[in-house]
Amino acid sequence: MKIRSILAYSALACGATVTVMSAPPMSRAAVTTQSAITVAQQTDLNLVGEGEGTLSIGTRPSQTVTFVTVTSRPSQQVEISLRLADGNLQRWDGQLISRSGSEAQVRLTSAGGADATGTLTIRYQNSTLISLSGSGTLDGQPLSILFTVGDDSVSRPPVASTVTLAQQGQGTFGLQGRPNQAISFASVTVQPDDSAELTIRLVDGNNIAFAGQQTRKTAEDIVLNLTSSGNADAQGPANIRYGSNNSIISISSNGTLDGQPFFIQFSGQQASTQPPVTPPPTGAIICTGQMQNGWQYRAEATNQRFTQIRWERSGAEPTVSTLRFYRNNAQGQPVYRGSFRAATQLALVDLSGGTPRQGSQISVGVEEWGWSRGNCR
């Protein structure tokens, strides 16, 4: 969960000295056999966590998850319960496929009376759930979830999280010697060790999955080096541009598949190209600054609480990050957290101690960008 690496360094901003997809198909059988032996030697899981997360299923509006429980049995069957913000409860069933002292992976098998597929990554400490993330399908519809506990410790060492992107759209898959085929959906999953999987769904319902390795990631794009597709060899890069809400803006890839040239061109359906601009209310405090990579920010505080950051940079679409109060740090300064385009975690530290005003300062930190001081007016 990237927010840890930002919040763990919150004290730096204050002037102190202190910061899902499955494995590639060719290796799956070996991994499952070894994992089953390890899992069988460990006690049952009984995890609970209260926090905030997002559940997305197909084209339905995303739902907020507020509470999660995970329980397993000696048979390695796992039950996951999700409490939604509207009070409804969802129950998923799966199979425990691997487990360590702080992380487990579960293969989804069903959700209530519906069929389900995909892989979930569960991170925990003792009996406390830290995060739940993953993607797959529910009755044939794309599914993704990202949930983190609300009281995650700022002193916990940074732990990388799984990145899951998914988007409906239009595109073309071409393979030499065969007719081009239309693409209707694409997903990308990058594990903490940078292993990755790119999956495209054709309009005839068939899926084509590529395994590979992430070689670059910024707040706007990901580059993968593709290495296989099922039992076939694959070679070539894949460039993925992504946006808010874990959406895919575009995918461009070309290379060889079992020695035959192939290409992928995909454009995701975007609901809006510009974020809404809300004029600051009367009496609002505005704090501005600039990150080292050129992104300028404008943080707004109302009633002495910061609510959002608007980002702008020449040649790039502006975006807005919503802020949530997290906690006060050791110096009594409020810490807020949010994300840049729902993928890169960020934190804002109110250096005024909770009374932002003209002349006070903030410190803004973004994962992989570093920190910047902003001035308030």
PDB file of all heavy atoms in Angstrom, residues 4 45 47 63 77 92 94 105 139 163 181 189 202 229 249 256-259 291 299 301 315 324 336 368 372 377:
ATOM      1  N   ARG A   4       1.770   4.138   2.784  1.00  0.00           N
ATOM      2  CA  ARG A   4       2.663   3.998   3.929  1.00  0.00           C
ATOM      3  C   ARG A   4       3.985   4.688   3.673  1.00  0.00           C
ATOM      4  O   ARG A   4       4.552   5.321   4.527  1.00  0.00           O
ATOM      5  CB  ARG A   4       2.900   2.523   4.228  1.00  0.00           C
ATOM      6  CG  ARG A   4       1.633   1.804   4.646  1.00  0.00           C
ATOM      7  CD  ARG A   4       2.021   0.469   5.254  1.00  0.00           C
ATOM      8  NE  ARG A   4       0.839  -0.354   5.317  1.00  0.00           N
ATOM      9  CZ  ARG A   4       0.520  -1.255   4.413  1.00  0.00           C
ATOM     10  NH1 ARG A   4       1.286  -1.442   3.380  1.00  0.00           N
ATOM     11  NH2 ARG A   4      -0.574  -1.977   4.535  1.00  0.00           N
ATOM     12  N   LEU A  45      -6.851 -18.668   8.985  1.00  0.00           N
ATOM     13  CA  LEU A  45      -6.921 -17.215   8.998  1.00  0.00           C
ATOM     14  C   LEU A  45      -8.231 -16.769   9.635  1.00  0.00           C
ATOM     15  O   LEU A  45      -9.278 -17.381   9.426  1.00  0.00           O
ATOM     16  CB  LEU A  45      -6.864 -16.662   7.567  1.00  0.00           C
ATOM     17  CG  LEU A  45      -5.524 -16.735   6.836  1.00  0.00           C
ATOM     18  CD1 LEU A  45      -5.708 -16.303   5.388  1.00  0.00           C
ATOM     19  CD2 LEU A  45      -4.496 -15.839   7.513  1.00  0.00           C
ATOM     20  N   LEU A  47      -9.330 -12.879  10.042  1.00  0.00           N
ATOM     21  CA  LEU A  47      -8.908 -11.491   9.939  1.00  0.00           C
ATOM     22  C   LEU A  47     -10.114 -10.555   9.872  1.00  0.00           C
ATOM     23  O   LEU A  47     -11.147 -10.894   9.289  1.00  0.00           O
ATOM     24  CB  LEU A  47      -8.069 -11.280   8.673  1.00  0.00           C
ATOM     25  CG  LEU A  47      -6.908 -12.250   8.434  1.00  0.00           C
ATOM     26  CD1 LEU A  47      -6.283 -11.987   7.081  1.00  0.00           C
ATOM     27  CD2 LEU A  47      -5.881 -12.136   9.539  1.00  0.00           C
ATOM     28  N   GLN A  63     -18.874   0.923  -5.642  1.00  0.00           N
ATOM     29  CA  GLN A  63     -19.429   0.910  -4.297  1.00  0.00           C
ATOM     30  C   GLN A  63     -18.305   1.044  -3.278  1.00  0.00           C
ATOM     31  O   GLN A  63     -17.184   0.574  -3.493  1.00  0.00           O
ATOM     32  CB  GLN A  63     -20.206  -0.384  -4.052  1.00  0.00           C
ATOM     33  CG  GLN A  63     -21.430  -0.548  -4.955  1.00  0.00           C
ATOM     34  CD  GLN A  63     -22.105  -1.890  -4.747  1.00  0.00           C
ATOM     35  OE1 GLN A  63     -21.634  -2.910  -5.217  1.00  0.00           O
ATOM     36  NE2 GLN A  63     -23.207  -1.881  -4.028  1.00  0.00           N
ATOM     37  N   GLN A  77     -10.452 -23.708   2.158  1.00  0.00           N
ATOM     38  CA  GLN A  77     -11.554 -22.886   1.675  1.00  0.00           C
ATOM     39  C   GLN A  77     -11.555 -21.554   2.430  1.00  0.00           C
ATOM     40  O   GLN A  77     -11.315 -21.514   3.635  1.00  0.00           O
ATOM     41  CB  GLN A  77     -12.891 -23.602   1.877  1.00  0.00           C
ATOM     42  CG  GLN A  77     -13.030 -24.882   1.070  1.00  0.00           C
ATOM     43  CD  GLN A  77     -12.958 -24.622  -0.422  1.00  0.00           C
ATOM     44  OE1 GLN A  77     -13.647 -23.736  -0.931  1.00  0.00           O
ATOM     45  NE2 GLN A  77     -12.124 -25.380  -1.114  1.00  0.00           N
ATOM     46  N   TRP A  92     -17.985 -13.749  -0.554  1.00  0.00           N
ATOM     47  CA  TRP A  92     -17.260 -14.402  -1.633  1.00  0.00           C
ATOM     48  C   TRP A  92     -16.604 -15.671  -1.088  1.00  0.00           C
ATOM     49  O   TRP A  92     -16.198 -15.722   0.077  1.00  0.00           O
ATOM     50  CB  TRP A  92     -16.165 -13.494  -2.187  1.00  0.00           C
ATOM     51  CG  TRP A  92     -16.671 -12.243  -2.844  1.00  0.00           C
ATOM     52  CD1 TRP A  92     -17.965 -11.921  -3.128  1.00  0.00           C
ATOM     53  CD2 TRP A  92     -15.881 -11.135  -3.286  1.00  0.00           C
ATOM     54  NE1 TRP A  92     -18.029 -10.690  -3.732  1.00  0.00           N
ATOM     55  CE2 TRP A  92     -16.780 -10.175  -3.843  1.00  0.00           C
ATOM     56  CE3 TRP A  92     -14.523 -10.862  -3.288  1.00  0.00           C
ATOM     57  CZ2 TRP A  92     -16.334  -8.982  -4.377  1.00  0.00           C
ATOM     58  CZ3 TRP A  92     -14.086  -9.664  -3.819  1.00  0.00           C
ATOM     59  CH2 TRP A  92     -14.984  -8.735  -4.359  1.00  0.00           C
ATOM     60  N   GLY A  94     -13.555 -18.733  -1.952  1.00  0.00           N
ATOM     61  CA  GLY A  94     -12.372 -18.973  -2.753  1.00  0.00           C
ATOM     62  C   GLY A  94     -11.500 -20.065  -2.169  1.00  0.00           C
ATOM     63  O   GLY A  94     -11.841 -20.703  -1.166  1.00  0.00           O
ATOM     64  N   GLN A 105      -2.768 -15.292  -0.777  1.00  0.00           N
ATOM     65  CA  GLN A 105      -3.452 -15.129  -2.053  1.00  0.00           C
ATOM     66  C   GLN A 105      -4.576 -16.145  -2.141  1.00  0.00           C
ATOM     67  O   GLN A 105      -4.416 -17.319  -1.759  1.00  0.00           O
ATOM     68  CB  GLN A 105      -2.497 -15.290  -3.227  1.00  0.00           C
ATOM     69  CG  GLN A 105      -1.541 -14.113  -3.395  1.00  0.00           C
ATOM     70  CD  GLN A 105      -0.998 -14.008  -4.799  1.00  0.00           C
ATOM     71  OE1 GLN A 105      -0.877 -14.994  -5.502  1.00  0.00           O
ATOM     72  NE2 GLN A 105      -0.670 -12.788  -5.214  1.00  0.00           N
ATOM     73  N   ASP A 139     -19.820 -13.385 -12.717  1.00  0.00           N
ATOM     74  CA  ASP A 139     -20.813 -13.703 -13.754  1.00  0.00           C
ATOM     75  C   ASP A 139     -20.426 -13.091 -15.095  1.00  0.00           C
ATOM     76  O   ASP A 139     -21.249 -12.518 -15.810  1.00  0.00           O
ATOM     77  CB  ASP A 139     -22.202 -13.220 -13.330  1.00  0.00           C
ATOM     78  CG  ASP A 139     -23.034 -14.366 -12.753  1.00  0.00           C
ATOM     79  OD1 ASP A 139     -22.529 -15.512 -12.725  1.00  0.00           O
ATOM     80  OD2 ASP A 139     -24.170 -14.125 -12.343  1.00  0.00           O
ATOM     81  N   VAL A 163      -1.105  -3.214  -8.277  1.00  0.00           N
ATOM     82  CA  VAL A 163      -1.788  -2.230  -9.113  1.00  0.00           C
ATOM     83  C   VAL A 163      -2.717  -2.970 -10.061  1.00  0.00           C
ATOM     84  O   VAL A 163      -2.288  -3.893 -10.769  1.00  0.00           O
ATOM     85  CB  VAL A 163      -0.786  -1.376  -9.915  1.00  0.00           C
ATOM     86  CG1 VAL A 163      -1.507  -0.455 -10.893  1.00  0.00           C
ATOM     87  CG2 VAL A 163       0.092  -0.578  -8.976  1.00  0.00           C
ATOM     88  N   GLN A 181      -8.900  -9.005 -34.941  1.00  0.00           N
ATOM     89  CA  GLN A 181     -10.054  -9.210 -34.070  1.00  0.00           C
ATOM     90  C   GLN A 181     -10.269  -7.985 -33.195  1.00  0.00           C
ATOM     91  O   GLN A 181      -9.305  -7.343 -32.753  1.00  0.00           O
ATOM     92  CB  GLN A 181      -9.854 -10.449 -33.192  1.00  0.00           C
ATOM     93  CG  GLN A 181      -9.666 -11.729 -33.996  1.00  0.00           C
ATOM     94  CD  GLN A 181      -9.553 -12.938 -33.091  1.00  0.00           C
ATOM     95  OE1 GLN A 181     -10.533 -13.390 -32.494  1.00  0.00           O
ATOM     96  NE2 GLN A 181      -8.351 -13.479 -32.975  1.00  0.00           N
ATOM     97  N   THR A 189      -2.584  -6.026 -14.428  1.00  0.00           N
ATOM     98  CA  THR A 189      -2.271  -6.230 -13.023  1.00  0.00           C
ATOM     99  C   THR A 189      -0.765  -6.301 -12.853  1.00  0.00           C
ATOM    100  O   THR A 189      -0.096  -7.057 -13.559  1.00  0.00           O
ATOM    101  CB  THR A 189      -2.911  -7.525 -12.494  1.00  0.00           C
ATOM    102  OG1 THR A 189      -4.320  -7.459 -12.652  1.00  0.00           O
ATOM    103  CG2 THR A 189      -2.591  -7.714 -11.012  1.00  0.00           C
ATOM    104  N   LEU A 202     -11.721 -10.299 -26.345  1.00  0.00           N
ATOM    105  CA  LEU A 202     -12.192 -10.088 -27.706  1.00  0.00           C
ATOM    106  C   LEU A 202     -13.716 -10.058 -27.731  1.00  0.00           C
ATOM    107  O   LEU A 202     -14.384 -10.546 -26.806  1.00  0.00           O
ATOM    108  CB  LEU A 202     -11.657 -11.200 -28.616  1.00  0.00           C
ATOM    109  CG  LEU A 202     -10.132 -11.405 -28.579  1.00  0.00           C
ATOM    110  CD1 LEU A 202      -9.726 -12.539 -29.498  1.00  0.00           C
ATOM    111  CD2 LEU A 202      -9.398 -10.117 -28.951  1.00  0.00           C
ATOM    112  N   SER A 229       2.571 -15.886 -23.345  1.00  0.00           N
ATOM    113  CA  SER A 229       1.107 -15.867 -23.427  1.00  0.00           C
ATOM    114  C   SER A 229       0.658 -17.326 -23.369  1.00  0.00           C
ATOM    115  O   SER A 229       0.779 -18.062 -24.349  1.00  0.00           O
ATOM    116  CB  SER A 229       0.640 -15.207 -24.721  1.00  0.00           C
ATOM    117  OG  SER A 229      -0.769 -15.264 -24.831  1.00  0.00           O
ATOM    118  N   ILE A 249      -6.512   4.426 -20.259  1.00  0.00           N
ATOM    119  CA  ILE A 249      -6.746   5.377 -21.348  1.00  0.00           C
ATOM    120  C   ILE A 249      -6.389   4.735 -22.682  1.00  0.00           C
ATOM    121  O   ILE A 249      -7.155   4.822 -23.647  1.00  0.00           O
ATOM    122  CB  ILE A 249      -5.940   6.659 -21.119  1.00  0.00           C
ATOM    123  CG1 ILE A 249      -6.405   7.352 -19.828  1.00  0.00           C
ATOM    124  CG2 ILE A 249      -6.064   7.606 -22.309  1.00  0.00           C
ATOM    125  CD1 ILE A 249      -5.573   8.554 -19.438  1.00  0.00           C
ATOM    126  N   THR A 256       6.284 -10.209 -31.027  1.00  0.00           N
ATOM    127  CA  THR A 256       6.087 -11.524 -31.642  1.00  0.00           C
ATOM    128  C   THR A 256       5.423 -12.464 -30.645  1.00  0.00           C
ATOM    129  O   THR A 256       5.675 -12.399 -29.446  1.00  0.00           O
ATOM    130  CB  THR A 256       7.417 -12.136 -32.099  1.00  0.00           C
ATOM    131  OG1 THR A 256       8.303 -12.282 -30.959  1.00  0.00           O
ATOM    132  CG2 THR A 256       8.088 -11.267 -33.152  1.00  0.00           C
ATOM    133  N   LEU A 257       4.581 -13.343 -31.172  1.00  0.00           N
ATOM    134  CA  LEU A 257       3.889 -14.363 -30.395  1.00  0.00           C
ATOM    135  C   LEU A 257       4.179 -15.701 -31.063  1.00  0.00           C
ATOM    136  O   LEU A 257       3.704 -15.957 -32.179  1.00  0.00           O
ATOM    137  CB  LEU A 257       2.388 -14.083 -30.358  1.00  0.00           C
ATOM    138  CG  LEU A 257       1.504 -15.029 -29.546  1.00  0.00           C
ATOM    139  CD1 LEU A 257       1.942 -15.057 -28.091  1.00  0.00           C
ATOM    140  CD2 LEU A 257       0.049 -14.596 -29.650  1.00  0.00           C
ATOM    141  N   ASP A 258       5.002 -16.534 -30.389  1.00  0.00           N
ATOM    142  CA  ASP A 258       5.502 -17.772 -31.001  1.00  0.00           C
ATOM    143  C   ASP A 258       6.137 -17.497 -32.363  1.00  0.00           C
ATOM    144  O   ASP A 258       5.951 -18.253 -33.326  1.00  0.00           O
ATOM    145  CB  ASP A 258       4.391 -18.809 -31.116  1.00  0.00           C
ATOM    146  CG  ASP A 258       4.495 -19.873 -30.033  1.00  0.00           C
ATOM    147  OD1 ASP A 258       5.413 -19.774 -29.183  1.00  0.00           O
ATOM    148  OD2 ASP A 258       3.676 -20.807 -30.021  1.00  0.00           O
ATOM    149  N   GLY A 259       6.868 -16.404 -32.422  1.00  0.00           N
ATOM    150  CA  GLY A 259       7.592 -16.058 -33.637  1.00  0.00           C
ATOM    151  C   GLY A 259       6.793 -15.311 -34.676  1.00  0.00           C
ATOM    152  O   GLY A 259       7.361 -14.836 -35.669  1.00  0.00           O
ATOM    153  N   MET A 291       5.829  20.580  -7.650  1.00  0.00           N
ATOM    154  CA  MET A 291       6.687  19.425  -7.455  1.00  0.00           C
ATOM    155  C   MET A 291       7.889  19.513  -8.395  1.00  0.00           C
ATOM    156  O   MET A 291       7.883  20.272  -9.382  1.00  0.00           O
ATOM    157  CB  MET A 291       5.912  18.127  -7.718  1.00  0.00           C
ATOM    158  CG  MET A 291       4.611  17.991  -6.934  1.00  0.00           C
ATOM    159  SD  MET A 291       4.796  18.049  -5.133  1.00  0.00           S
ATOM    160  CE  MET A 291       5.721  16.530  -4.827  1.00  0.00           C
ATOM    161  N   ALA A 299      -3.867  23.518  -3.213  1.00  0.00           N
ATOM    162  CA  ALA A 299      -4.611  22.847  -2.149  1.00  0.00           C
ATOM    163  C   ALA A 299      -5.597  23.822  -1.524  1.00  0.00           C
ATOM    164  O   ALA A 299      -5.261  24.994  -1.290  1.00  0.00           O
ATOM    165  CB  ALA A 299      -3.655  22.296  -1.093  1.00  0.00           C
ATOM    166  N   ALA A 301      -8.410  24.630   1.616  1.00  0.00           N
ATOM    167  CA  ALA A 301      -8.859  24.304   2.970  1.00  0.00           C
ATOM    168  C   ALA A 301     -10.105  25.129   3.282  1.00  0.00           C
ATOM    169  O   ALA A 301     -10.155  26.334   3.009  1.00  0.00           O
ATOM    170  CB  ALA A 301      -7.769  24.601   3.993  1.00  0.00           C
ATOM    171  N   GLY A 315       0.876  20.697 -21.029  1.00  0.00           N
ATOM    172  CA  GLY A 315       0.824  19.530 -21.901  1.00  0.00           C
ATOM    173  C   GLY A 315       0.103  18.336 -21.318  1.00  0.00           C
ATOM    174  O   GLY A 315       0.036  17.287 -21.972  1.00  0.00           O
ATOM    175  N   ARG A 324      -8.592  13.213   2.511  1.00  0.00           N
ATOM    176  CA  ARG A 324      -9.272  12.751   3.720  1.00  0.00           C
ATOM    177  C   ARG A 324      -8.337  12.947   4.915  1.00  0.00           C
ATOM    178  O   ARG A 324      -7.144  12.623   4.821  1.00  0.00           O
ATOM    179  CB  ARG A 324      -9.662  11.279   3.620  1.00  0.00           C
ATOM    180  CG  ARG A 324     -10.565  10.961   2.460  1.00  0.00           C
ATOM    181  CD  ARG A 324     -11.009   9.498   2.523  1.00  0.00           C
ATOM    182  NE  ARG A 324      -9.869   8.587   2.638  1.00  0.00           N
ATOM    183  CZ  ARG A 324      -9.178   8.154   1.600  1.00  0.00           C
ATOM    184  NH1 ARG A 324      -9.470   8.554   0.381  1.00  0.00           N
ATOM    185  NH2 ARG A 324      -8.171   7.320   1.778  1.00  0.00           N
ATOM    186  N   TYR A 336      -3.201  14.668   5.911  1.00  0.00           N
ATOM    187  CA  TYR A 336      -4.287  14.260   5.015  1.00  0.00           C
ATOM    188  C   TYR A 336      -3.705  13.324   3.960  1.00  0.00           C
ATOM    189  O   TYR A 336      -2.520  13.414   3.605  1.00  0.00           O
ATOM    190  CB  TYR A 336      -4.907  15.470   4.333  1.00  0.00           C
ATOM    191  CG  TYR A 336      -5.514  16.476   5.286  1.00  0.00           C
ATOM    192  CD1 TYR A 336      -4.713  17.421   5.937  1.00  0.00           C
ATOM    193  CD2 TYR A 336      -6.881  16.487   5.537  1.00  0.00           C
ATOM    194  CE1 TYR A 336      -5.260  18.339   6.817  1.00  0.00           C
ATOM    195  CE2 TYR A 336      -7.438  17.403   6.420  1.00  0.00           C
ATOM    196  CZ  TYR A 336      -6.619  18.328   7.057  1.00  0.00           C
ATOM    197  OH  TYR A 336      -7.169  19.235   7.927  1.00  0.00           O
ATOM    198  N   GLU A 368       7.097   8.524  -5.263  1.00  0.00           N
ATOM    199  CA  GLU A 368       8.053   8.554  -6.368  1.00  0.00           C
ATOM    200  C   GLU A 368       8.358   9.975  -6.862  1.00  0.00           C
ATOM    201  O   GLU A 368       9.206  10.158  -7.716  1.00  0.00           O
ATOM    202  CB  GLU A 368       7.576   7.694  -7.550  1.00  0.00           C
ATOM    203  CG  GLU A 368       7.394   6.233  -7.188  1.00  0.00           C
ATOM    204  CD  GLU A 368       6.777   5.429  -8.314  1.00  0.00           C
ATOM    205  OE1 GLU A 368       6.428   6.026  -9.349  1.00  0.00           O
ATOM    206  OE2 GLU A 368       6.621   4.212  -8.136  1.00  0.00           O
ATOM    207  N   SER A 372       7.367  18.667  -1.422  1.00  0.00           N
ATOM    208  CA  SER A 372       7.430  20.074  -1.825  1.00  0.00           C
ATOM    209  C   SER A 372       6.725  20.928  -0.790  1.00  0.00           C
ATOM    210  O   SER A 372       5.691  20.515  -0.237  1.00  0.00           O
ATOM    211  CB  SER A 372       6.765  20.270  -3.199  1.00  0.00           C
ATOM    212  OG  SER A 372       6.554  21.640  -3.483  1.00  0.00           O
ATOM    213  N   ARG A 377      -2.301  31.452   1.208  1.00  0.00           N
ATOM    214  CA  ARG A 377      -2.735  32.843   1.109  1.00  0.00           C
ATOM    215  C   ARG A 377      -4.269  32.913   1.312  1.00  0.00           C
ATOM    216  O   ARG A 377      -4.952  31.919   1.261  1.00  0.00           O
ATOM    217  CB  ARG A 377      -2.369  33.446  -0.245  1.00  0.00           C
ATOM    218  CG  ARG A 377      -2.868  32.614  -1.429  1.00  0.00           C
ATOM    219  CD  ARG A 377      -2.443  33.272  -2.742  1.00  0.00           C
ATOM    220  NE  ARG A 377      -2.742  32.405  -3.880  1.00  0.00           N
ATOM    221  CZ  ARG A 377      -3.936  32.342  -4.455  1.00  0.00           C
ATOM    222  NH1 ARG A 377      -4.945  33.066  -3.989  1.00  0.00           N
ATOM    223  NH2 ARG A 377      -4.138  31.563  -5.484  1.00  0.00           N
TER     224      ARG A 377
END
